[in-house]
Amino acid sequence: MDMAINQTDFSFIPEREKSIRTKGQQMQAIQCQADSVAGCVSQRACVYCGARVVLNPITDAVHLVHGPIGCASYTWDIRGSLSSGADLYRHSFSTDLREEDIIFGGERKLMRCIDELAERYHPPVMLVYSTCIVGVIGDDLEAVCRLASKRHRIKVIPVQSSGFSGNKSDGYRIACEVLLRMIASQERILYQPFHLNYLGDYNLAGEAWIICGYLQEIGINVNVAFTGDSRCESLLTAPGAALNIVQCAGSMGYLAKRMEEIYGIPFLNVSFLGLEDTMQSLRRIADFFANPYIIKRCEALIERELAQYGPIVKQYRQHLKGKKAAVFVGGGFKAISLIKQFRELGMEVVMVGTQTGRQEEYDAISQLVAEGTVILDDANPSELERFMLEQGADLLVGGVKERPLAYKLGLSFIDHNHERKHPLSGFTGAANFAREVEQTVCSPVWKYLDGPIHTGRINP
Amino acid sequence: MMKDDPNPVRSVAENPCNMCMPLGAIIPFKGIENCMVIIHGSQGCATYMRRHMAEHFNEPVDIASSSITERGTIYGGEANLKHGLNNLIQLYQPAVVGILSTCLAETIGEDIVRIAGVFQEEQAGSETPAMIPVPTPGYGGSHFEGYFLALTGIVTALAQPTRRHDRINVLVPHISPADVREIKRLLELMQVQYTLLPDVSATLDAPYTQIYRKIPAGGTVPADIAAMPGARATIQFGATVEDELSPGKYLEINHGVPLYNLSLPMGIVACDRFLNLLETLTGNEIPKQLLDERGRLLDAMVDAHKYNREGRAVVFGEPEMVYALGQVLAENGITPVILATGSKSPRLKELLLDLTADNDEEPLILIDSDFAQIRKHCADKRINLAIGNSDGRILTEKDGIPLVRMGFPVHDRIGGQRILTVGYTGTTQLLDLITNTLLANKLKHYRENMYAKHFPFQPKTIMFKGEVSDDGQF
Ligand code: SF4
Ligand code: SF4
């Protein structure tokens, strides 16, 4: 791989320097949660994207994008969240604002769209996302939604996700506020001592099902998963739970905190990525309920699953030991889990970055990784290219945009984004992950890349 | 003849069949040598477009953004854009920079043409790349219009009065890199001197090399674009393009370059027209190699003609592609039942009406449409073939109509950049794919169909489960 050195002189953008750290070299903390630097080809998305990620898996809601067509077009059914019933969430609805709407305002068109959709689909809830220009042309989303709610007797909730008003993580927070509105109910809430809510799992390839299956088996009921395979009605059961467990803290940590304040529900941060984390998380949940029956069932489940999947992971580990990984994902939580998971496979992470990680998360990352590891926030393709090559990475974990870059550099790739079609959670997921890493790292294709052309000459 | 508008009045767009202007505008810039693009607007749009393109082309597609934030929307984004330009030039060292805008930038009144001018003035003295600003508010039209708007912008910005020379300008619409390669091959076989714009054949389908280049090699050379006004003729594959958006028209009106506006060379007739035109313009004969390829296409058409007659198709996508496909269907006896585009294209509608005027069954032509509408019309029409981009997978999933993928985007299969459909050879490949899709569909169902229709006795055991599809047989 050392032959693939970039010819053009890599010129650093000085402003970016504060967002790049090498463990053991600089004292200053990394700069994160700042605005992207213009012209640097940030990999980040927008507020709307963040809100959509969190809310879209609600299967029976109409998700209406108030804005020009593009914003809706690029997000139509691109994520792998599965549903056990409704599939309204897989359709893309847009108010498709045109020039004249920009001039005269989009409120009337929005109202007409809501009317049409209410009549056609009778959804229990309609979520109306605002995009950048709606924030500028001054449509009163709140007022239109209030009026529409009355007219159609359903919840029509505005999602104030104008893209420019922050980044993806602001979108998460806005979505959490919307979820708080959705779970609020007039009815008295029945407290259920052995029920929990599962926050921050979007049921990609059935991941939430896997975890809910484990919990059910050990005697704990899940009221609702936020928001994987959730329905508007099932969300209403959330306030009765005795505990919230949070998988993706980046997107749902805020909701957990707010639910603790409002409903007094305590929360646990958990992770079901990797054998180790899954095991620990299940034990901590069982301990919380402090019930001997649950604890016993929990241990039995762990023993059985480890017996089944442990050897598989171990087998792949043999092929992977000593390989080097680079990680560039959306949030810090995932990066942390991945560092641990690679360790289970005998691999070291030599570069790690996120789009929108927070300071605490970077601190945790810095604790975990070895000296010399490059840590970067909101990296651009030039930086990814440079550090992956300099650090001698064999593999990159990232999203769709990063995949072709890895391949062009002759690196293996793991898709840890919302588009993937196989689960990476729980014991099964850990085995899937190990297999996927092996499939890409140990593919025969790499060995043809750097060699000279094969001649047909016959040696005398 | 279809007189009234079959598009019912509706406000909500459900499952869009088009993307927005800046996305389309990026592509011609990606077909210029050593060129980079920056989109003036908020970060999200650029990222979404990159994602969309990376998935289709399986290539890293770097697109910068001026990353306007809340402050920028209040105080103006000029500083952001200039700052972005500086960083972009430092990181990529491009020779040409395309500057596009999003809905947001246009709505808050950003004038990218002025800002680009100011930037260049401020940098006077130091060597700056050529700047080509093209305002592309997303709400102003679909990616199809964006593409031609940018192409016209590029030609307008770079073309210089030039002494007459022997080259021919070739302007291509949004087609795959493989298609561009094929058109170049045809031109070379015809020994034509040409300038093809935009040439994405290598930039959006770069071969693996040991040294990675942030801006891939290839693309139309800016100096060649500058010399376009001196060309003997322009051949533009833009039959459906309105005059205001037509770079060929621009060259004709402003520089007197005769324009030959053709449809994409797909199918016998369109390919013949293209090659005949080249023959006339250059006086060179069509080489035997191409006549052989033509003969093979004819052979394939005969081999498949009976199967194809059973085809009842829905076609959707960008106007230029839909029109070209319409001709392929017509030549092969496949019934076009629905022809749809997400763009507003009055010219496409006229052309399709002409093309299908003598059909027994009047096709439904949907302009400015979406997949909800297309699906609604698909019901009860015994459609057994869909041709278009990956978003049409919904027709397979919900309505059981098999999809032949082409156009943009192809995001749920690999190799969107390599799909070849032009020239005699490309048409042959496409036709085989179409016929085989029809055959596969027929073979999948014919046992249960025949059993359900003709088995004369009381069924003892249920032999076949599943739905019986209407195959149009008696
Ligand atoms: S439609 Fe406008 S706002 Fe939406 S992605 Fe396109 S340019 Fe951006
Ligand atoms: S317009 Fe705004 S909301 Fe829409 S994609 Fe762009 S940044 Fe996101």
Side-chain angles (χ1 to χ4, degrees):
Chain A
M1 221 63 55
D2 46 2
M3 297 178 72
I5 288 165
N6 192 3
Q7 261 191 334
T8 48
D9 174 26
F10 180 88
S11 24
F12 243 139
I13 301 297
E15 279 168 85
R16 289 278 314 140
E17 211 186 303
K18 287 188 268 174
S19 302
I20 303 168
R21 289 286 169 263
T22 305
K23 183 171 176 186
Q25 286 184 11
Q26 300 98 337
M27 299 316 291
Q28 266 169 326
I30 194 168
Q31 170 175 307
C32 57
Q33 290 170 289
D35 289 339
S36 294
V37 177
C40 277
V41 192
S42 163
Q43 310 286 96
R44 276 184 186 168
C46 58
V47 180
Y48 157 71
C49 174
R52 191 84 202 252
V53 167
V54 169
L55 296 171
N56 200 62
I58 304 170
T59 57
D60 59 349
V62 158
H63 300 265
L64 172 62
V65 183
H66 186 33
I69 196 73
C71 316
S73 197
Y74 304 133
T75 47
W76 175 22
D77 197 20
I78 58 171
R79 291 165 185 282
S81 297
L82 299 186
S83 165
S84 56
D87 84 340
L88 210 43
Y89 73 116
R90 289 186 55 212
H91 294 269
S92 165
F93 301 106
S94 165
T95 53
D96 192 4
L97 295 182
R98 306 281 172 105
E99 199 120 31
E100 56 282 10
D101 305 311
I102 308 298
I103 299 164
F104 301 111
E107 289 178 11
R108 291 170 114 201
K109 188 163 190 193
L110 173 59
M111 197 63 198
R112 279 205 309 275
C113 288
I114 295 175
D115 290 347
E116 279 174 27
L117 288 168
E119 206 169 293
R120 206 177 314 155
Y121 294 106
H122 308 287
V125 171
M126 224 184 275
L127 297 172
V128 182
Y129 300 77
S130 83
T131 57
C132 284
I133 50 169
V134 172
V136 173
I137 60 178
D139 281 1
D140 189 345
L141 219 58
E142 210 46 79
V144 174
C145 290
R146 207 175 314 123
L147 188 66
S149 294
K150 271 210 202 103
R151 185 182 294 176
H152 299 290
R153 289 168 216 265
I154 56 170
K155 282 188 184 170
V156 181
I157 304 177
V159 185
Q160 302 285 4
S161 53
S162 276
F164 59 78
S165 56
N167 63 36
K168 203 165 161 186
S169 24
D170 298 291
Y172 295 150
R173 195 179 35 74
I174 289 161
C176 289
E177 294 285 358
V178 169
L179 287 168
L180 285 170
R181 275 172 88 156
M182 290 184 75
I183 62 177
S185 151
Q186 316 296 352
E187 326 249 309
R188 226 171 59 88
I189 308 149
L190 188 69
Y191 175 73
Q192 297 156 304
F194 291 103
H195 287 231
L196 59 70
N197 301 312
Y198 178 27
L199 275 59
D201 189 321
Y202 304 104
N203 201 33
L204 304 178
E207 285 177 345
W209 293 337
I210 293 173
I211 305 307
C212 292
Y214 292 160
L215 294 169
Q216 207 171 23
E217 186 182 330
I218 66 176
I220 300 166
N221 294 306
V222 178
N223 273 1
V224 64
F226 284 85
T227 51
D229 193 24
S230 62
R231 284 168 297 112
C232 300
E233 208 186 350
S234 63
L235 287 170
L236 291 170
T237 63
L243 175 69
N244 280 335
I245 56 171
V246 191
Q247 157 91 9
C248 177
S251 57
M252 290 238 162
Y254 178 76
L255 180 66
K257 277 185 208 135
R258 294 285 290 136
M259 283 177 77
E260 185 169 43
E261 285 162 24
I262 300 170
Y263 300 104
I265 304 175
F267 67 89
L268 279 180
N269 283 322
V270 295
S271 159
F272 294 106
L273 296 175
L275 297 176
E276 193 58 43
D277 273 12
T278 303
M279 205 157 58
Q280 262 187 26
S281 298
L282 286 173
R283 287 203 173 115
R284 285 173 52 222
I285 295 165
D287 285 347
F288 173 88
F289 290 99
N291 174 302
Y293 171 80
I294 290 177
I295 291 173
K296 211 176 102 206
R297 302 275 302 238
C298 178
E299 288 307 320
L301 179 138
I302 289 174
E303 196 181 323
R304 187 195 66 214
E305 295 285 310
L306 274 186
Q308 188 176 348
Y309 296 107
I312 300 177
V313 173
K314 215 179 200 165
Q315 191 197 330
Y316 288 123
R317 185 190 155 99
Q318 282 170 0
H319 300 280
L320 297 171
K321 232 158 89 190
K323 299 281 184 190
K324 294 175 181 169
V327 171
F328 189 75
V329 288
F333 153 80
K334 207 187 266 173
I336 294 169
S337 296
L338 279 165
I339 296 169
K340 293 198 235 163
Q341 221 177 338
F342 277 118
R343 224 158 258 171
E344 281 184 10
L345 295 176
M347 295 173 64
E348 204 50 60
V349 170
V350 292
M351 185 208 92
V352 52
T354 78
Q355 288 168 21
T356 56
R358 287 167 296 147
Q359 194 62 59
E360 322 78 274
E361 293 167 333
Y362 279 111
D363 291 344
I365 288 171
S366 192
Q367 292 283 318
L368 270 174
V369 295
E371 294 276 301
T373 300
V374 171
I375 304 171
L376 20 87
D377 181 66
D378 189 18
N380 60 42
S382 312
E383 290 157 7
L384 293 177
E385 175 195 344
R386 172 180 169 172
F387 292 115
M388 286 193 293
L389 294 178
E390 272 186 16
Q391 298 284 94
D394 297 294
L395 164 131
L396 172 70
V397 183
V400 178
K401 293 185 301 297
E402 291 86 30
R403 180 177 56 208
L405 177 63
Y407 288 168
K408 287 286 178 202
L409 297 173
L411 264 63
S412 305
F413 182 79
I414 296 281
D415 182 359
H416 215 294
N417 220 332
H418 284 232
E419 287 89 0
R420 69 195 144 77
K421 305 286 183 281
H422 57 268
L424 297 177
S425 273
F427 300 99
T428 354
N432 282 338
F433 180 76
R435 188 182 49 195
E436 193 186 347
V437 174
E438 200 267 354
Q439 278 173 344
T440 176
V441 170
C442 301
S443 163
V445 301
W446 308 118
K447 69 170 181 265
Y448 300 101
L449 294 188
D450 289 339
I453 191 158
H454 293 83
T455 66
R457 223 181 291 136
I458 298 161
N459 288 328
Chain B
M1 187 126 311
M2 180 71 52
K3 284 274 151 47
D4 9 88
D5 191 0
N7 302 3
V9 181
R10 78 200 198 296
S11 298
V12 69
E14 181 177 336
N15 300 340
C17 189
N18 60 292
M19 286 137 274
C20 62
M21 279 230 277
L23 179 128
I26 292 164
I27 293 161
F29 281 105
K30 289 286 171 190
I32 299 178
E33 187 184 57
N34 205 8
C35 178
M36 223 350 233
V37 181
I38 185 165
I39 304 186
H40 190 34
S42 35
Q43 178 63 49
C45 309
T47 301
Y48 273 134
M49 290 174 212
R50 281 179 67 202
R51 198 193 141 279
H52 228 64
M53 291 176 69
E55 243 179 358
H56 172 86
F57 291 106
N58 304 287
E59 293 283 327
V61 182
D62 288 5
I63 301 159
S65 164
S66 62
S67 307
I68 296 187
T69 56
E70 196 122 42
R71 287 196 45 172
T73 61
I74 299 166
Y75 303 110
E78 180 165 345
N80 272 66
L81 179 54
K82 287 184 188 165
H83 188 59
L85 282 167
N86 263 321
N87 285 337
L88 166 98
I89 292 167
Q90 198 184 333
L91 272 178
Y92 288 84
Q93 308 193 338
V96 180
V97 177
I99 307 174
L100 307 173
S101 54
T102 67
C103 299
L104 175 69
E106 293 294 326
T107 307
I108 61 174
E110 296 288 295
D111 182 349
I112 56 172
V113 177
R114 186 188 62 78
I115 301 173
V118 174
F119 180 83
Q120 259 172 328
E121 257 167 49
E122 287 169 2
Q123 307 280 316
S126 61
E127 215 178 288
T128 49
M131 306 269 166
I132 307 180
V134 182
T136 46
Y139 50 73
S142 74
H143 61 302
F144 179 73
E145 286 95 323
Y147 182 96
F148 277 98
L149 201 60
L151 201 56
T152 307
I154 291 165
V155 171
T156 312
L158 296 181
Q160 298 293 333
T162 307
R163 223 178 315 135
R164 285 273 157 239
H165 54 73
D166 235 15
R167 284 213 292 274
I168 291 173
N169 303 323
V170 180
L171 299 168
V172 298
H174 185 191
I175 51 178
S176 78
D179 282 339
V180 176
R181 276 198 292 279
E182 178 65 7
I183 288 176
K184 284 166 72 172
R185 189 182 68 97
L186 296 178
L187 290 164
E188 271 144 37
L189 282 168
M190 289 298 295
Q191 297 178 312
V192 181
Q193 306 270 335
Y194 64 89
T195 303
L196 181 140
L197 180 74
D199 185 357
V200 297
S201 63
T203 52
L204 290 177
D205 188 11
Y208 178 85
T209 51
Q210 284 178 12
I211 291 159
Y212 172 68
R213 297 174 50 149
K214 274 195 261 293
I215 299 181
T220 314
V221 179
D224 291 345
I225 305 172
M228 279 185 149
R232 294 173 47 196
T234 300
I235 299 177
Q236 174 175 274
F237 298 114
T240 66
V241 180
E242 311 293 322
D243 286 351
E244 323 79 85
L245 290 174
S246 161
K249 203 83 217 163
Y250 171 86
L251 286 168
E252 185 177 58
I253 292 172
N254 293 281
H255 299 283
V257 188
L259 170 66
Y260 300 90
N261 202 23
L262 306 182
S263 74
L264 272 170
M266 284 167 63
I268 286 288
V269 175
C271 288
D272 285 357
R273 283 214 181 110
F274 174 44
L275 291 181
N276 273 325
L277 176 60
L278 293 179
E279 208 176 19
T280 321
L281 288 173
T282 61
N284 301 337
E285 247 177 66
I286 300 176
K288 174 160 184 307
Q289 187 183 343
L290 286 179
L291 294 176
D292 283 352
E293 289 177 24
R294 183 177 190 274
R296 281 198 194 94
L297 171 56
L298 289 172
D299 207 44
M301 288 167 71
V302 173
D303 290 345
H305 74 280
K306 285 205 289 189
Y307 311 123
N308 286 339
R309 271 307 283 257
E310 289 180 11
R312 299 178 51 78
V314 50
V315 173
F316 49 86
E318 292 171 35
E320 210 51 45
M321 184 191 92
V322 171
Y323 180 51
L325 271 171
Q327 296 173 68
V328 174
L329 298 189
E331 287 176 4
N332 288 283
I334 300 169
T335 310
V337 185
I338 298 174
L339 300 161
T341 181
S343 306
K344 270 188 184 165
S345 178
R347 191 167 280 188
L348 172 67
K349 186 163 186 168
E350 276 165 37
L351 286 167
L352 289 175
L353 285 173
D354 267 1
L355 179 71
T356 58
D358 297 331
N359 287 20
D360 292 339
E361 184 179 336
E362 216 172 83
L364 186 60
I365 298 164
L366 300 173
I367 304 295
D368 195 7
S369 189
D370 61 27
F371 281 103
Q373 200 183 49
I374 293 171
R375 282 193 55 212
K376 202 180 95 207
H377 289 294
C378 277
D380 311 322
K381 291 224 169 71
R382 293 194 294 113
I383 291 175
N384 55 7
L385 176 69
I387 310 176
N389 59 49
S390 282
D391 289 334
R393 66 188 165 166
I394 192 170
L395 298 168
T396 310
E397 189 190 320
K398 303 277 182 198
D399 309 291
I401 303 170
L403 171 65
V404 171
R405 284 168 175 76
M406 63 176 288
F408 178 92
V410 174
H411 52 61
D412 62 345
R413 293 288 188 275
I414 208 159
Q417 76 274 43
R418 288 186 290 270
I419 296 175
L420 175 64
T421 59
V422 302
Y424 299 120
T425 302
T427 309
T428 309
Q429 280 187 22
L430 173 67
L431 195 62
D432 280 350
L433 201 58
I434 289 174
T435 312
N436 285 334
T437 304
L438 288 169
L439 276 173
N441 194 46
K442 186 183 171 114
L443 296 179
K444 200 166 123 196
H445 299 296
Y446 92 98
R447 287 171 195 278
E448 57 262 47
N449 282 353
M450 295 306 112
Y451 178 79
K453 269 189 196 163
H454 306 304
F455 187 69
F457 314 109
Q458 209 57 301
K460 287 201 192 89
T461 49
I462 296 177
M463 278 178 65
F464 299 103
K465 280 195 287 204
E467 271 168 48
V468 174
S469 71
D470 189 341
D471 56 2
Q473 304 280 330
F474 304 105

